[in-house]
Amino acid sequence: MTAVTAAPVALLGGTFDPVHYGHLRPAIELLEKLNLAELRLVPGQVPPHRPPPRLSAERRCALLEQAVADIPGLVVDSRELERPGPSYTVDTLRALRDEIGPERPLIFIMGSDAFRGLMQWHRWEALTRYAHLLVTTRGGDSGELPPALATWLAAREVETAERLRAAPAGSVLFQAVSRLQISATAIRRLLARGYSVRGLMPEAVWREVRRGCYGYPQI
Ligand code: ATP
């Protein structure tokens, strides 16, 4: 087998309602640690059983564009918002694989909580046909994996980022990243009470948000 040398492309999905440094800092760490060609932030539609995002898809995307404008390597990928209704990750990965060709490593980033529920995802076993999975962890992560998932993982888990660069898809890596004490939920709550969220997100995003988002008094 010939070694794969092209720098990987990675994807981080989320609601980004709104984007904040808790999203950006781990993304930047992974850009550097994995030597990525680019990391795509992929805002998604929210499934019907979850409360709808407060901001429209267009506004969440516009804030994300502001957030990444000065950060080389981070890009916004709005493909999931261009289709009506929630998208399946497996379809997003397949579409991206078609775009980047069969050789370049593709990495889907997910939190360890989401990983524990992986078997509920649509066609979950096909995910590693198109991409590697990178599961972000932080100190104190706990929780047993369902036995079938543990068996599936045992056949795919690798210990180093180099292993992800050596093949286009197929492996799972657990990687520690910083976890900042910031959540979009806490940001929306602060704004609704009229507090500033300056410092929790890039200044350009705060400039947009303070024009009147999430109930913050318009300036
Ligand atoms: P909400 O509070 O509305 O649920 P959130 O701030 O958790 O939102 P999401 O858009 O749901 O943000 O998260 C997108 C991705 O970013 C997920 O993989 C999530 O695990 C990760 N993430 C969110 N906040 C942090 C944080 N503070 N540190 C590290 N990763 C984070």
Side-chain angles (χ1 to χ4, degrees), residues 1 4 6-12 34 36 89 93 97 100 102-110 115 118 121 124 126-135 152 156-158 160-174:
M1 195 180 85
V4 176
V9 169
L11 264 80
L12 173 65
L34 302 172
L36 300 174
T89 297
L93 295 179
R97 168 57 70 202
I100 67 175
E103 297 282 316
R104 187 184 284 275
L106 180 61
I107 300 173
F108 180 70
I109 301 164
M110 64 194 308
F115 182 73
L118 191 70
W121 292 31
W124 68 277
L127 295 169
T128 49
R129 192 183 299 164
Y130 306 113
H132 300 295
L133 302 187
L134 183 141
V135 183
W152 182 85
R156 289 166 182 78
E157 186 173 2
V158 294
T160 64
E162 285 68 44
R163 294 288 300 278
L164 299 191
R165 297 174 64 84
S171 298
V172 181
L173 175 71
F174 287 76

Side-chain angles (χ1 to χ4, degrees), residues 12-16 20 22-23 26 111 178-180 182-185 188:
L12 173 65
T15 315
F16 303 109
H20 52 71
H23 302 126
S178 295
R179 176 114 200 151
L180 307 185
I182 305 175
S183 74
T185 303
R188 294 193 299 270

Side-chain angles (χ1 to χ4, degrees), residues 17-18 54-56 59-60 63 187-195 197 201 205-219:
D17 187 29
R54 288 282 308 279
L55 286 193
S56 68
R59 292 196 79 191
R60 285 183 287 134
L63 293 179
I187 287 174
R188 294 193 299 270
R189 269 194 211 126
L190 284 169
L191 289 166
R193 291 195 216 127
Y195 290 109
V197 293
M201 55 184 58
V205 180
W206 164 235
R207 233 176 274 132
E208 284 300 310
V209 165
R210 74 179 181 181
R211 291 205 182 123
C213 292
Y214 307 101
Y216 188 75
Q218 293 195 18
I219 294 177

Side-chain angles (χ1 to χ4, degrees), residues 116-158:
R116 272 194 287 280
L118 191 70
M119 290 170 70
Q120 270 71 58
W121 292 31
H122 179 63
R123 296 186 57 224
W124 68 277
E125 287 165 297
L127 295 169
T128 49
R129 192 183 299 164
Y130 306 113
H132 300 295
L133 302 187
L134 183 141
V135 183
T136 58
T137 61
R138 56 195 161 115
D141 269 357
S142 60
E144 293 270 302
L145 293 179
L149 183 58
T151 305
W152 182 85
L153 173 64
R156 289 166 182 78
E157 186 173 2
V158 294

